[in-house]
Amino acid sequence: MAEPVLEIRNLNVDYGLGDRAVHAVRDVNLTLHRGEVLGLAGESGSGKSTLAYGLTRLLAPPGVITGGQVIYHPAQGSSYDVLALSDNGLREWRWAETAIVFQGAMNSLNPVHKISTQLMDVLKAHEPNMSAHSRAARAREMLKLVGISADRMDAYPHQLSGGMRQRVMIGMALILQPQVVIMDEPTTALDVVMQRQILGQLIELRERLGFSVIFITHDLSLLVEFSNRIAIMYGGRIVEEAPANTIYRDALHPYSKGLLSSFPALRGPRRELTGIPGSPPDLAGMPAGCSFHPRCPKAFEPCGSAIPVLGRPDTPDGAGRSVACWLHPAEQPVG
Amino acid sequence: MKYFLQRIGFYVFTAWAAITLNFFIPRMVPGDPVQSLIAKYKGQLSTDAMQSLYILFGLDQHKSMWAEYVDYWKQIFHGDLGLSFTFFPAPVSQVISQALPWTLLLVGITTIISFLLGTSLGVVAGWRRGSWTDGLLPVTTFFSSVPYFWLGIIAIYLLAGPDSFFPSSGGFDSGLVPAWDQYFIPSAIQHSLLPALTILISSVSGWILSMRNMMVTVASEDYITVAHAKGLSERRVALSYAARNALLPNVSGFALSLGFIVGGTLLVEIVFSYPGLGFTLLQALGARDYPLMQGIFLIITIAVLVANLLADIAYLLLDPRTRKDG
Ligand SMILES: Nc1ncnc2c1ncn2[C@@H]1O[C@H](COP(=O)(O)OP(=O)(O)OP(=O)(O)O)[C@@H](O)[C@H]1O
Ligand code: SF4
Ligand SMILES: [Mg+2]
């Protein structure tokens, strides 16, 4: 497998302080490898966005990182912990190394500035020696890359359609040629055809430019189609992680199975749509043991008392995957 | 652009309506102020002046209402607003043009300073919300809710007096004659300090609060998070993204407040007996000086309309969403 570019180690994020803190991300261990698309799925409220904001240190109060490391491996030079960077170091790291396309990217553009201004101020901040002329040239090039004609440079956000704004954000994310692009539900506001078109384009760009992607959505069908590996989140934890088609064919965690059965099969034999009974866990009062046990059809004796750790399962194909479930006790914990 | 023309049309219509109303009101006033005035100044009124009064007050029985109305407009366009009763026989336009500079300078300058200062402080307070600056908010809220004139009375009570540096009334030393010289100007400035301070303190708080609250609202917008994620400097995010967007409502508020320069601080002028338009209006009211009242109302109306137009222009320039695609 390719070398890692981003390693999230034991990351914990809370909202609020003290007893009333909500633990939105718990002991998350996740590795993004060079050139891959890592999908992150889970019900609404499972902590996907919090994880993305946490690892880029963009959490708005009351969000706080309470522990962990985010080890970044630059293309050249030695690795470092993003969470330990100074303010200046963090500013330089942002966008140049890791860019984000946000959930609700419709409002990601400032309504009072031209598209060109918003594309070029990134360049001004990160490459201060660049001439105004080459900044404009680069901005035009990025628009072309995402299929927007250069004469839209001077447009204001409200003059563009939702899909175009989304493309502008993707072009903006790639303008400094980062190694990592995080996409948090980048297309939920768009219609299905547009979603696939934009994601398809992104994957093509990834093959050409060679960046890695963390792709967050609760739409598993999109994930299975566009990612190499998939991690499933439940109640702030990663509960299963495996290559995309392994998850699709043979998920081990009962929650992953539930998620998969709640959307129609893309191709192949039709499956019965069952969904998951019960409602997502209350983060403030998480059940003891495996937090999925009140909803789990397979829950048994250890589930209510002890937390299953994420690790390599006891299955024949166990090497490339990990799961946190007492049905498949970890032989080798991750992290 | 179409929108803008519509607005201009609307303002022209409003101005026409206000001036027309000004034409009809004196014709409905009970009693006959002009007759008594003419009686009072028997022999001193020139025929021209009497003719002008007749037209303004609709006493010209030989003419139809329509002809009077046309004459009235002709007079307005010549800047002839009739003769003042109180300052008889000075024309209203002259009385107003003497009082107006005082108001424009005092209130105009303080309004601009107050806006610039309040908005800048509001940007800082909003960007640093949650820090010690929040502790100053109750004080600001207090000052923004205190009426100007009340603050003025307190200021006179505490700071002005026979031996004080601050005069308690007037616009200049009574021994001086208005002129642009080294005696008059310092005296005028000295007299304006206390009223200016009064207006500044009570109006700056409003700007601080509204700008701070807009900053807090804007700070939670997605594009601010994106600006941070882009690795822009804190300064650039605060000014070019947050403050730039938070400014919109404040700027149109400012343009509107320019309209109230003329009539909005009437009570401060009255408290300080400041020789501006507000004080003049008080005198006109006391003396039932209808021509002067009409003239001042006309000026106030026009000022408010022009300010509204400015607010529209400001919004058009600052918010691209209001510019219909071009
Ligand atoms: N500002 C906040 N204050 C308190 N709790 C918060 C805050 N933001 C998020 N949370 C809680 O953290 C949990 C995780 O939220 P998060 O937005 O990360 O979920 P998500 O997986 O991205 O969901 P979605 O699919 O809806 O985007 C949720 O239960 C939410 O209630
Ligand atoms: S650990 Fe137990 S409760 Fe949790 S998913 Fe596995 S079987 Fe279900
Ligand atoms: Mg989310």
Side-chain angles (χ1 to χ4, degrees):
Chain A
M1 194 174 278
E3 54 187 307
V5 56
L6 195 67
E7 290 177 81
I8 303 165
R9 291 189 190 158
N10 296 312
L11 188 67
N12 280 280
V13 178
D14 287 2
Y15 287 106
L17 296 169
D19 293 343
R20 290 203 286 162
V22 170
H23 307 296
V25 166
R26 308 170 180 230
D27 297 321
V28 165
N29 283 288
L30 203 56
T31 301
L32 177 68
H33 298 95
R34 255 177 232 293
E36 81 174 344
V37 179
L38 173 62
L40 191 59
E43 284 165 307
S44 186
S46 55
K48 306 180 297 291
S49 298
T50 306
L51 179 60
Y53 283 103
L55 78 92
T56 48
R57 289 171 62 183
L58 284 168
L59 287 164
V64 279
I65 298 169
T66 54
Q69 287 179 312
V70 176
I71 306 297
Y72 182 74
H73 303 274
Q76 274 113 36
S78 52
S79 312
Y80 48 84
D81 180 4
V82 176
L83 302 188
L85 284 175
S86 68
D87 282 357
N88 265 333
L90 180 64
R91 255 199 299 280
E92 284 167 20
W93 178 79
R94 282 176 174 168
W95 221 258
E97 304 292 341
T98 296
I100 314 189
V101 179
F102 287 95
Q103 184 164 6
M106 293 313 217
N107 306 318
S108 289
L109 289 163
N110 187 338
V112 305
H113 291 310
K114 289 175 182 171
I115 303 300
S116 54
T117 312
Q118 301 187 54
L119 283 166
M120 291 190 291
D121 66 2
V122 186
L123 297 172
K124 224 182 257 178
H126 289 275
E127 290 172 31
N129 296 328
M130 207 169 176
S131 72
H133 181 77
S134 38
R135 276 203 296 269
R138 176 83 73 84
R140 264 194 298 275
E141 184 192 334
M142 291 328 287
L143 287 185
K144 208 175 127 214
L145 196 67
V146 293
I148 294 180
S149 81
D151 61 11
R152 306 302 286 176
M153 278 276 280
D154 286 331
Y156 286 95
H158 74 277
Q159 295 168 322
L160 304 180
S161 69
M164 281 167 98
R165 269 182 265 180
Q166 194 53 263
R167 284 164 208 266
V168 170
M169 284 317 294
I170 292 174
M172 193 184 295
L174 301 178
I175 199 165
L176 297 173
Q177 296 170 344
Q179 293 200 80
V180 178
V181 177
I182 300 173
M183 317 212 54
D184 187 359
E185 316 231 14
T187 55
T188 29
L190 305 176
D191 63 70
V192 182
V193 178
M194 184 66 83
Q195 279 187 20
R196 285 184 192 283
Q197 193 187 344
I198 289 182
L199 289 174
Q201 213 168 26
L202 180 85
I203 298 305
E204 193 190 299
L205 286 173
R206 180 196 60 102
E207 276 153 17
R208 219 168 350 134
L209 306 176
F211 52 90
S212 319
V213 180
I214 297 181
F215 178 28
I216 301 174
T217 177
H218 51 239
D219 186 342
L220 256 176
S221 60
L222 282 179
L223 274 194
V224 171
E225 188 173 349
F226 290 108
S227 26
N228 306 113
R229 275 188 320 131
I230 292 177
I232 310 278
M233 257 185 120
Y234 185 78
R237 290 176 193 276
I238 305 285
V239 293
E240 182 162 13
E241 196 229 299
N245 44 22
T246 310
I247 290 259
Y248 182 64
R249 274 186 286 105
D250 174 34
L252 294 179
H253 199 283
Y255 176 67
S256 314
K257 286 184 184 156
L259 266 190
L260 280 158
S261 63
S262 50
F263 76 91
L266 296 175
R267 26 188 132 55
R270 292 175 73 88
R271 290 189 297 198
E272 204 182 330
L273 284 181
T274 48
I276 308 166
S279 50
D282 173 14
L283 291 181
M286 205 58 125
C290 171
S291 45
F292 187 55
H293 85 258
R295 298 167 77 187
C296 181
K298 302 233 175 94
F300 62 115
E301 175 252 320
C303 301
S305 50
I307 298 176
V309 285
L310 185 68
R312 180 203 281 199
D314 50 1
T315 50
D317 63 345
R321 63 190 302 182
S322 51
V323 62
C325 173
W326 286 120
L327 292 171
H328 308 278
E331 286 185 337
Q332 200 182 357
V334 176
Chain B
M1 216 54 225
K2 182 164 165 269
Y3 166 80
F4 193 57
L5 290 176
Q6 271 173 359
R7 298 298 294 173
I8 290 185
F10 171 74
Y11 293 135
V12 169
F13 173 78
T14 314
W16 168 79
I19 293 171
T20 304
L21 211 62
N22 242 0
F23 168 78
F24 282 108
I25 285 176
R27 285 163 177 75
M28 294 179 239
V29 171
D32 195 341
V34 183
Q35 278 302 342
S36 62
L37 184 87
I38 292 172
K40 194 170 147 200
Y41 290 97
K42 222 173 187 78
Q44 288 179 39
L45 279 175
S46 70
T47 0
D48 271 3
M50 274 177 24
Q51 181 60 24
S52 156
L53 279 177
Y54 279 139
I55 293 172
L56 272 167
F57 278 80
L59 296 173
D60 194 349
Q61 270 103 7
H62 311 297
K63 283 191 176 172
S64 70
M65 193 73 129
W66 174 250
E68 283 182 36
Y69 185 62
V70 173
D71 282 349
Y72 171 79
W73 269 103
K74 277 187 196 151
Q75 286 204 1
I76 298 252
F77 272 111
H78 287 105
D80 181 359
L81 300 169
L83 297 183
S84 162
F85 295 179
T86 1
F87 301 95
F88 192 82
V92 166
S93 51
Q94 187 190 328
V95 175
I96 290 180
S97 64
Q98 266 163 15
L100 197 57
W102 290 98
T103 300
L104 285 184
L105 286 176
L106 172 72
V107 192
I109 292 177
T110 43
T111 302
I112 293 170
I113 293 179
S114 167
F115 169 74
L116 294 178
L117 192 68
T119 303
S120 323
L121 291 177
V123 168
V124 176
W127 196 243
R128 303 203 189 292
R129 71 190 173 288
S131 70
W132 61 270
T133 51
D134 286 6
L136 300 177
L137 288 181
V139 185
T140 332
T141 313
F142 170 76
F143 276 116
S144 70
S145 53
V146 169
Y148 293 87
F149 68 92
W150 190 78
L151 211 61
I153 293 170
I154 304 267
I156 290 178
Y157 177 75
L158 291 180
L159 297 173
D163 309 319
S164 165
F165 171 76
F166 296 110
S168 65
S169 72
F172 51 93
D173 265 340
S174 46
L176 294 170
V177 180
W180 294 103
D181 61 21
Q182 74 269 41
Y183 306 110
F184 179 74
I185 292 173
S187 169
I189 292 178
Q190 192 184 357
H191 279 74
S192 69
L193 285 179
L194 219 46
L197 217 60
T198 306
I199 300 174
L200 197 65
I201 288 180
S202 48
S203 63
V204 81
S205 315
W207 296 122
I208 295 179
L209 286 181
S210 64
M211 192 62 190
R212 187 203 105 97
N213 292 344
M214 267 321 283
M215 280 295 280
V216 171
T217 309
V218 169
S220 64
E221 294 281 351
D222 290 343
Y223 53 77
I224 300 293
T225 313
V226 173
H228 282 298
K230 279 156 79 171
L232 306 183
S233 68
E234 189 79 3
R235 204 185 140 78
R236 168 110 183 133
V237 181
L239 296 181
S240 174
Y241 281 70
R244 173 67 175 73
N245 290 59
L247 199 60
L248 292 173
N250 247 30
V251 164
S252 55
F254 172 64
L256 292 181
S257 76
L258 290 179
F260 291 112
I261 285 179
V262 177
T265 44
L266 195 130
L267 288 168
V268 176
E269 290 187 5
I270 292 171
V271 167
F272 287 95
S273 309
Y274 199 78
L277 213 56
F279 189 54
T280 309
L281 181 61
L282 178 75
Q283 289 173 302
L285 286 169
R288 290 174 170 260
D289 187 343
Y290 292 109
L292 188 53
M293 278 189 253
Q294 277 187 348
I296 293 176
F297 283 135
L298 195 67
I299 297 286
I300 292 177
T301 310
I302 290 172
V304 170
L305 289 178
V306 169
N308 272 282
L309 187 65
L310 283 179
D312 284 346
I313 294 177
Y315 231 105
L316 209 63
L317 292 179
L318 287 176
D319 192 344
R321 285 164 294 187
T322 56
R323 287 173 231 157
K324 298 293 170 203
D325 281 55

